[in-house]
Amino acid sequence: MQIHISKNHEELSDFTAQYLVDFIKNKPNATLVLTSGDTPKLAYQKMAVLGKDLDFSQVTFIGLDEWIGIPPESEGSCRYIVEENLLKPLQIPSQNYTFFDGLSDNLASECTRIDQLIFEKGGLDLIIVGIGLNGHIGLNEPHSSFENYCHVSDLEEITISVGQKYFTQATPLTQGITVGLKHLLEAQIAILLASGSKKADIIKRTITEEISEVLPSTVFQKHHNALLFLDEEAAIYTK
Ligand code: PGA
C-alpha cells in the first residue's frame, strides 16, 4: 500500500486529476470504475480541464455504485455527480460510460450487465473509490464479502443518514447496488481517496486493523497495487 499525502483538499484534487489524466494518456483504452461522493468532485472538475484535449474515444467509465430507487437525474444520485462534474464537461459520448440503473426492476441482471462488461474488457485497469465513516467502499457495507462481484447491499443507518447530504430533501434510502470488492481486488490499480479530518479515524483503522470483511476498507491491505491519496487532515494518524 502506497500513501500519497497532499497538503489540502485542493492539492489532493490537483494530484488526483493529474494522476487520472496521465493514466489515460498511457492507456487510452483503459477501463475505469469511478466513485461518486463529495470527495472526488473537485478532482473531476480539474480533470475536465486538464483532459480537455485528451482522446477518450476508447476509454470505458463505469460508475461505482447507485442508490436503489433513485432516478439518474436526481442530483443525489451517484451518477449525477460523476456526469455533471466530469463526463458532461468533457463531452464523453454516452457509449463510453455506464452506470447502474437504480430504478431497474431486475437488479440481478443489472449486476450481471456490469460484471459482464468488466469481464469483456479483461478486468479493470483502475478503480477509484471513496470511504464511508463505517469503512464502506462504494456501497460495500461492513460484512460485505471480499468474494462479491457486483451485488445489492442493505445500507447501514450511518450510510443512510450521511447519504442525506447529497439530496435537497429527506430521501428514503435502504439499499444500494455496487461494484463488489472482488472486482476491486482484481483491478490493476485501486485508489482510495479521502479528505478532511472526519475521515482521519477511519483511515487509521483501514491501515492498522486486521484485514476483515467487518471493515471493508481493509481490503486495501490485500490489494497488490493499492494507492491511498489523502490530504493532511485525513492522514493525520498515518504519520
Ligand atoms: P464522500 O463519500 O466522498 O461524500 O465523503 C464517500 C463514501 O461514502 O464513499
Side-chain angles (χ1 to χ4, degrees):
M1 197 158 50
Q2 280 182 52
I3 302 181
H4 182 275
I5 301 173
S6 301
K7 198 162 175 289
N8 51 37
H9 183 70
E10 175 90 28
E11 289 188 12
L12 172 67
S13 304
D14 283 326
F15 181 79
T16 305
Q18 191 66 57
Y19 185 95
L20 293 173
V21 165
D22 289 344
F23 187 86
I24 292 168
K25 263 188 202 154
N26 289 328
K27 192 159 196 335
N29 63 347
T31 303
L32 300 93
V33 162
L34 298 179
T35 182
S36 190
D38 285 337
T39 311
K41 262 190 199 171
L42 185 59
Y44 290 161
Q45 289 165 12
K46 288 174 181 282
M47 186 179 166
V49 175
L50 283 175
K52 67 180 189 321
D53 297 322
L54 202 59
D55 177 9
F56 289 96
S57 60
Q58 297 174 70
V59 178
T60 304
F61 295 107
I62 301 170
L64 174 64
D65 52 5
E66 193 53 273
W67 310 106
I68 300 296
I70 300 301
E73 63 277 9
S74 161
E75 66 209 302
S77 76
C78 299
R79 175 179 186 137
Y80 186 90
I81 290 173
V82 181
E83 265 191 331
E84 293 303 312
N85 292 286
L86 183 68
L87 303 177
K88 281 190 187 171
L90 281 172
Q91 298 179 302
I92 305 286
S94 57
Q95 67 263 24
N96 289 81
Y97 64 87
T98 192
F99 290 84
F100 289 109
D101 175 7
L103 294 182
S104 171
D105 53 15
N106 190 342
L107 295 170
S109 78
E110 267 303 281
C111 291
T112 306
R113 181 177 71 83
I114 301 288
D115 282 338
Q116 276 174 355
L117 175 62
I118 294 172
F119 297 140
E120 271 163 26
K121 294 287 175 187
L124 298 174
D125 296 298
L126 181 149
I127 180 168
I128 182 162
V129 302
I131 185 167
L133 297 178
N134 61 354
H136 75 204
I137 295 294
L139 288 170
N140 293 278
E141 293 281 58
H143 304 282
S144 288
S145 169
F146 290 170
E147 294 299 312
N148 270 341
Y149 286 119
C150 294
H151 64 106
V152 172
S153 64
D154 293 329
L155 303 178
E156 286 198 341
E157 261 322 306
I158 186 167
T159 299
I160 294 168
S161 60
V162 172
Q164 299 302 316
K165 69 178 174 166
Y166 305 117
F167 297 89
T168 49
Q169 56 191 36
T171 303
L173 302 170
T174 52
Q175 287 188 306
I177 183 167
T178 186
V179 168
L181 297 175
K182 196 162 169 69
H183 283 306
L184 183 142
L185 281 168
E186 291 176 358
Q188 296 302 317
I189 295 178
I191 300 173
L192 175 53
L193 195 62
S195 172
S197 55
K198 64 182 184 303
K199 298 288 173 73
D201 185 55
I202 194 65
I203 287 297
K204 178 185 175 203
R205 293 183 58 204
T206 298
I207 295 168
T208 57
E209 285 194 12
E210 200 179 314
I211 299 172
S212 162
E213 291 169 353
V214 174
L215 193 66
S217 55
T218 57
V219 75
F220 270 81
Q221 293 184 41
K222 255 171 96 77
H223 195 279
H224 61 287
N225 199 1
L227 307 176
L228 268 56
F229 292 175
L230 312 174
D231 64 11
E232 277 182 4
E233 286 186 353
I236 194 151
Y237 302 128
T238 66
K239 296 175 198 166

